[in-house]
Amino acid sequence: YDGSLKSDLWKFDSTNWQFVAIQSLTPSARAQHVATWDDVQLSIWLHGGYDDQGLCDDLWRFDGATRNWNLILTGGPSARAYHVAAWDPANLAMWIHGGFDGKARDDLWRFDTLSSTWVLISQGGPLARFNHVAGWDMTTMSFWVHGGYVDNGPLRCDLWRFAVTST
């Protein structure tokens, strides 16, 4: 890390890194954002993080076929960084949890890519946290969250599961 924020995009093909040239508008150079890959729409979905202006609340889609970025919308979850995301391929949805917007967050959001809407799913599950990890389990339709930091507290080592019963 050289101290400057980046806006470049790279692709790894199991043996080599390739720089991806973009000819369209791109998200601002940023760090501590989240991104997920959508195998169906061949897209990267990118949310939040921070840029040289502060925290971001924007959502972008990179179309792998056209190699163009599109700003989808702002709003939904508060502007934040250090959050986690996972992709739900059955519902074509991006799930995000927690993060930091001046304080640790405990909210769980789902972005429905078919209707382009954010839905607040839950608040008050795992302790508010940031810098944690998450994953999606297609077999059980579950969003998993592990570890992270809490406000004024120790590093967590707990594991939480949110089972999706309907979308």
Side-chain angles (χ1 to χ4, degrees):
Y1 178 67
D2 65 6
S4 64
L5 298 173
K6 307 289 186 210
S7 63
D8 51 351
L9 182 63
W10 291 80
K11 175 184 174 183
F12 185 72
D13 67 7
S14 77
T15 56
N16 298 305
W17 283 101
Q18 291 179 313
F19 175 74
V20 179
I22 309 295
Q23 301 301 319
S24 65
L25 179 69
T26 64
S28 59
R30 64 185 66 204
Q32 304 305 333
H33 49 288
V34 294
T36 60
W37 174 252
D38 171 0
D39 257 348
V40 174
Q41 300 176 76
L42 302 178
S43 298
I44 296 171
W45 292 88
L46 180 145
H47 177 263
Y50 65 84
D51 62 15
D52 59 359
Q53 302 297 308
L55 292 171
C56 304
D57 70 348
D58 50 353
L59 177 68
W60 290 80
R61 177 180 175 252
F62 177 76
D63 184 320
T66 65
R67 293 187 174 213
N68 287 317
W69 281 104
N70 293 295
L71 176 61
I72 303 302
L73 56 94
T74 58
S78 62
R80 66 186 65 200
Y82 305 99
H83 48 319
V84 294
W87 182 251
D88 171 358
N91 296 298
L92 300 178
M94 178 178 178
W95 292 79
I96 70 165
H97 177 264
F100 189 82
D101 66 358
K103 66 177 184 172
R105 304 295 308 183
D106 66 354
D107 48 352
L108 176 64
W109 292 80
R110 179 176 53 93
F111 181 76
D112 182 329
T113 64
L114 299 177
S115 65
S116 290
T117 55
W118 282 108
V119 177
L120 175 62
I121 302 297
S122 173
Q123 287 185 293
L127 288 174
R129 65 192 62 215
F130 57 96
N131 256 0
H132 48 314
V133 296
W136 182 261
D137 180 354
M138 184 63 184
T139 304
T140 62
M141 296 296 290
S142 299
F143 182 76
W144 290 85
V145 171
H146 172 68
Y149 292 94
V150 296
D151 282 336
N152 302 313
L155 180 62
R156 305 295 300 181
C157 62
D158 51 350
L159 179 65
W160 290 78
R161 175 178 166 243
F162 181 84
V164 176
T165 54
S166 65
T167 58

